[in-house]
């Protein structure tokens, strides 16, 4: 039952994160910022909110939040790895196709990364 509850909240919170991330990415690149730094800045914008909400709601146990320095360190390490992957994929789309295709690809890329992120969060970050 915990897996279903966690999955539900992770999808809901992740959806908010992807929306904020995508909107910031589009805005920054439309203003002329290069794809890679725009993607990193956009992902960072949702990361803090995601860590806090997932620690307080998604992976909380018996009403106790699952935050703290050790978990944040693991979250940060995972975020860096996933951000490198995301940035590489989005930059490749922009380079091979166009910025507009990168805008369309961003939510798809982030959605796929979210699957890896859920497993990482459940098994390592918030344990």
């Amino acid at each position: 039952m915990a897996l279903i509850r966690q999955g539900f909240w992770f999808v809901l919170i992740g959806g908010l994160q992807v929306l904020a991330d995508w909107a910031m990415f589009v805005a920054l690149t439309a203003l002329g910022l290069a794809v890679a730094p725009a993607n990193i800045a956009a992902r960072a914008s949702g990361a803090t909110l995601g860590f806090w909400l997932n620690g307080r709601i998604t992976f909380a146990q018996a009403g106790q939040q699952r935050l703290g320095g050790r978990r944040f360190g693991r979250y940060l390490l995972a975020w860096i790895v996933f951000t490198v992957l995301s940035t590489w994929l989005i930059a490749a789309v922009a380079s091979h196709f166009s910025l507009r295709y990168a805008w369309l690809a961003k939510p798809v890329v982030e959605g796929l990364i979210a699957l890896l992120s859920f497993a990482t969060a459940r098994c390592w970050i918030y344990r």
Side-chain angles (χ1 to χ4, degrees):
M1 199 64 178
L3 180 61
I4 293 170
R5 182 188 63 76
Q6 289 172 347
F8 170 79
W9 282 107
F10 193 83
V11 167
L12 188 66
I13 292 167
L16 292 172
Q17 282 181 267
V18 168
L19 183 61
D21 177 355
W22 177 80
M24 180 169 269
F25 175 73
V26 170
L28 291 172
T29 54
L31 291 171
L33 190 61
V35 169
N39 190 60
I40 293 167
R43 284 186 54 82
S45 72
T48 306
L49 177 65
F51 173 73
W52 184 74
L53 286 175
N54 282 316
R56 290 203 52 138
I57 299 169
T58 307
F59 299 106
Q61 288 185 339
Q64 295 294 319
Q65 64 186 10
R66 310 235 14 187
L67 299 170
R70 181 179 296 152
R71 287 185 179 105
F72 183 74
R74 289 188 286 226
Y75 181 84
L76 186 59
L77 181 60
W79 180 84
I80 289 168
V81 170
F82 293 138
T83 297
V84 167
L85 178 60
S86 169
T87 301
W88 177 72
L89 291 169
I90 297 298
V93 170
S95 173
H96 293 333
F97 300 101
S98 72
L99 178 59
R100 294 199 192 279
Y101 279 105
W103 290 350
L104 294 173
K106 175 107 171 111
V108 175
V109 167
E110 298 303 338
L112 293 173
I113 289 174
L115 297 174
L116 296 171
S117 181
F118 178 73
T120 302
R122 190 168 196 279
C123 297
W124 185 57
I125 296 171
Y126 295 103
R127 65 177 168 97

